[in-house]
Amino acid sequence: MARIVGGITTSHIPAIGKAIQGGKSNDPDWKPFFDGYLPVRAWLDAVKPDVAVVVYNDHGLNFFLDQIPTFAMGAAKEYPNCDSGWGLDEGPPARGTPELSWHLIESLVHDEFDLTMCQEMKVDHGFMVPMSVLWPHATEWPLQVVPLAVNTVQHPLPSPARCYKLGKALGRAIASYPEDLKVVVIGTGGMSHQLQGERAGLINKPFDLMFLEKIASDPEALARLSVRDLVEAAGSEGVELIMWLVMRGALDDKVATIHRHYHVPVSSTGAGVLLLENAA
Ligand code: DHB
Ligand code: FE
């Protein structure tokens, strides 16, 4: 059967992708940030997951304000990176696994999560920056992916509680797939940041550190926050943290924190990295 080997979180700030492409990971400005990924990369090299379910948000590339699903899952053979707006190299498309995607979709819809199903899906920095920071030297992606897009752009957004429950249903869906696959679930985006309006530039380090702790030890407390609570504390784009709750829901109630890192600021954002494993 398929089994979840771990959960990872990472920010998706486009500047990270630019720094990787510019070969700047060891520059003094960037090294303290990128060093935070070394234990995660070592873990990925050792565990070698077969599939990553990447929980991410689209920023107006594949979905725009005219039509935006609350939750959407890819079921395509490949996912091209088309995020030319940030000047990031496109690189090879991520490799899909339609069989697993359709199994997850079937299971999730059966479990009352009526997803949008995407047999074609372009991805942006929200998806590709996490991929390139976890596998920075990949000329070919070393694993297959299932993209799970969450609306963090057009209100009303799904609540933290709803995202946590989606994660639980995702965990059940993965565990019921008959093939022996090692699956890593990646929650992306965040942490605190606001790119627009009166509070542009907002970063809330105490909140981010609390969130990094509680997502492992007491995710239910975070699931009790409202979208408004998240926007107030973490900023209008910090609300991307709802995607971390999808990842966390897919893991067991008890997890072990294998690695945790926080660096602030990267561009306009508090950048957090977590690697969790089921405790059992
Ligand atoms: C930044 C953060 C984001 O989440 C994003 O989508 C784009 C830019 C930033 O901090 O620069
Ligand atoms: Fe973003």
Side-chain angles (χ1 to χ4, degrees), residues 51 74-77 79 95-102 144-146 177 181:
V51 180
K77 284 203 189 100
Y79 303 96
R95 294 189 290 126
T97 163
E99 298 81 356
L100 175 60
S101 286
W102 282 115
Q144 294 175 306
V145 299
V146 177
Y177 191 61
L181 290 177

Side-chain angles (χ1 to χ4, degrees), residues 12-15 57 59 86 125-126 189-191 193 195 237 240 266-270:
H12 63 218
I13 306 154
N57 71 294
H59 295 77
W86 292 95
H125 65 276
M191 299 186 84
H193 64 303
L195 303 178
E237 279 71 45
E240 289 173 348
V266 175
S267 182
S268 308
T269 300

Side-chain angles (χ1 to χ4, degrees), residues 193-203 235-237 268:
H193 64 303
Q194 172 144 346
L195 303 178
Q196 49 173 322
E198 273 176 27
R199 298 198 307 163
L202 173 141
I203 289 180
S236 53
E237 279 71 45
S268 308

Side-chain angles (χ1 to χ4, degrees), residues 160-161 218-227 229 245:
D218 190 8
E220 308 253 337
L222 300 179
R224 283 193 290 272
L225 298 174
S226 65
V227 166
D229 293 334
L245 280 160

Side-chain angles (χ1 to χ4, degrees), residues 117-183:
M117 309 157 221
C118 303
Q119 301 197 63
E120 283 183 25
M121 200 176 200
K122 295 174 195 149
V123 289
D124 68 8
H125 65 276
F127 182 96
M128 276 301 179
V129 167
M131 292 290 289
S132 35
V133 76
L134 295 172
W135 293 279
H137 307 298
T139 45
E140 241 176 73
W141 300 112
L143 79 182
Q144 294 175 306
V145 299
V146 177
L148 171 51
V150 176
N151 169 31
T152 66
V153 171
Q154 171 65 63
H155 289 258
L157 310 184
S159 68
R162 183 77 177 142
C163 291
Y164 186 58
K165 283 185 198 156
L166 171 63
K168 294 207 171 260
L170 175 66
R172 290 190 287 273
I174 293 168
S176 65
Y177 191 61
E179 203 182 320
D180 282 330
L181 290 177
K182 289 180 277 183
V183 179

